Amino acid sequence: MIRVVFNRKGGVGKSSIACNLAAIAASQGTSTLVVDLDPQANTTSYLGHNGKDDVVGIAEFFESQIAFKYRDYQPEDFVRRTDFENLSLISASQVLLDLEQKLESRHKIYKLRAFLQTLENSYDQIFIDTPPALNFYSLSALIAADRCLIPFDCDAFARDALIDLIAVLEEIRDDHNDKLSVEGVIINQFQARAKLPQAAVDELKSAGIHVLAPYLSSSIKMKESHACRTPLIYLEPQHKLSKEFAELYNGLG
């Protein structure tokens, strides 16, 4: 199963959600791979690595598609282990920024799908983190994925943008990937006692948008998790937010 976590809006928690859902899967004994496609490399950092070392990652894979460098590498050569059992990573770096125009001009939009298909036999779950834009990398991820999870941060102005995004995803499914489905919207940084977040969620539901449960609470513990470079299930498994991630993951199809 390949899932992509995507929203064109920044700051909605894509990296946190991708890493923590993947960590839940890994903690349950599932062989899990996280692919970081964002040049900011937040997911790479969160899982204890960086994109500035000499270990190859997703940028080097894409470079192999337009140059002879890394051509002799096998798919697993681009994967690195994390400190967490059953959880592996394909890291990102700022090199992705330099490659994007070259990849677009040479029509390499389907290369990620073929690459990940070769890894599906090695991993039960693959999660892809994406940049906050519909660009070459996020489109490559949507073409490669079976399902899309959309983070939503209850911003009052985000509802219409979310509806537009779902329409774009339907177009991508029709044009590029007929197996892609929107698995649902993940409500992030939810404040149960505040009226506006609940009103925003109610608007989504009234528009016929599938909202996943439970909602992910707003918590300083997430920032602590980032600082420790440790997903919540390993940092504090009994925390409310850890349990919400576990319930959310277990409720996915």
Side-chain angles (χ1 to χ4, degrees), residues 124-169:
D124 300 310
Q125 296 282 343
I126 299 176
F127 288 86
I128 311 174
D129 184 26
T130 53
L134 186 58
N135 61 12
F136 173 85
Y137 298 116
S138 54
L139 181 56
S140 293
L142 291 163
I143 289 173
D146 302 301
R147 299 179 184 179
C148 180
L149 296 167
I150 307 174
F152 181 78
D153 62 354
C154 300
D155 187 289
F157 299 105
R159 173 185 170 276
D160 291 342
L162 183 59
I163 292 174
D164 290 342
L165 174 60
I166 291 174
V168 169
L169 294 175

Side-chain angles (χ1 to χ4, degrees), residues 8-230:
R8 291 181 293 191
K9 185 175 184 291
V12 295
K14 291 187 303 297
S15 299
S16 297
I17 289 170
C19 289
N20 278 282
L21 288 178
I24 295 294
S27 72
Q28 295 180 2
T30 301
S31 179
T32 306
L33 174 67
V34 180
V35 183
D36 190 357
L37 286 180
D38 191 342
Q40 297 180 80
N42 289 334
T43 280
T44 296
S45 177
Y46 192 6
L47 295 181
H49 290 282
N50 67 70
K52 298 178 181 179
D53 54 26
D54 59 357
V55 179
V56 297
I58 199 63
E60 288 73 22
F61 162 72
F62 279 120
E63 190 174 356
S64 75
Q65 303 303 301
I66 56 177
F68 288 105
K69 198 173 183 182
Y70 309 111
R71 283 284 177 91
D72 59 340
Y73 279 51
Q74 298 301 308
E76 282 285 354
D77 294 332
F78 297 97
V79 179
R80 60 173 73 184
R81 293 182 179 180
T82 71
D83 291 335
F84 313 106
E85 189 175 1
N86 301 316
L87 187 58
S88 299
L89 169 71
I90 300 180
S91 59
S93 72
Q94 291 188 349
V95 175
L96 289 168
L97 295 172
D98 300 326
L99 294 173
E100 184 173 3
Q101 187 173 0
K102 297 176 184 177
L103 291 164
E104 285 180 335
S105 66
R106 300 190 190 185
H107 309 290
K108 302 297 184 178
I109 199 69
Y110 293 97
K111 292 299 183 179
L112 181 67
R113 178 165 71 182
F115 173 56
L116 294 183
Q117 285 174 344
T118 65
L119 290 169
E120 278 195 282
N121 289 333
S122 300
Y123 300 95
D124 300 310
Q125 296 282 343
I126 299 176
F127 288 86
I128 311 174
D129 184 26
T130 53
L134 186 58
N135 61 12
F136 173 85
Y137 298 116
S138 54
L139 181 56
S140 293
L142 291 163
I143 289 173
D146 302 301
R147 299 179 184 179
C148 180
L149 296 167
I150 307 174
F152 181 78
D153 62 354
C154 300
D155 187 289
F157 299 105
R159 173 185 170 276
D160 291 342
L162 183 59
I163 292 174
D164 290 342
L165 174 60
I166 291 174
V168 169
L169 294 175
E170 290 175 351
E171 184 177 351
I172 291 171
R173 180 184 62 206
D174 292 342
D175 292 346
H176 299 287
N177 180 9
D178 59 7
K179 68 179 182 180
L180 178 67
S181 65
V182 175
E183 194 162 13
V185 172
I186 296 176
I187 305 302
N188 193 31
Q189 302 175 40
F190 185 71
Q191 296 174 313
R193 296 182 180 180
K195 293 182 180 180
L196 288 179
Q198 186 60 59
V201 173
D202 290 342
E203 286 186 355
L204 295 185
K205 291 181 176 180
S206 66
I209 295 173
H210 180 46
V211 177
L212 297 170
Y215 309 156
L216 300 175
S217 301
S218 178
S219 173
I220 191 66
K221 186 60 67 174
M222 180 60 76
K223 291 184 178 180
E224 293 177 12
S225 172
H226 293 163
C228 295
R229 296 187 176 189
T230 305

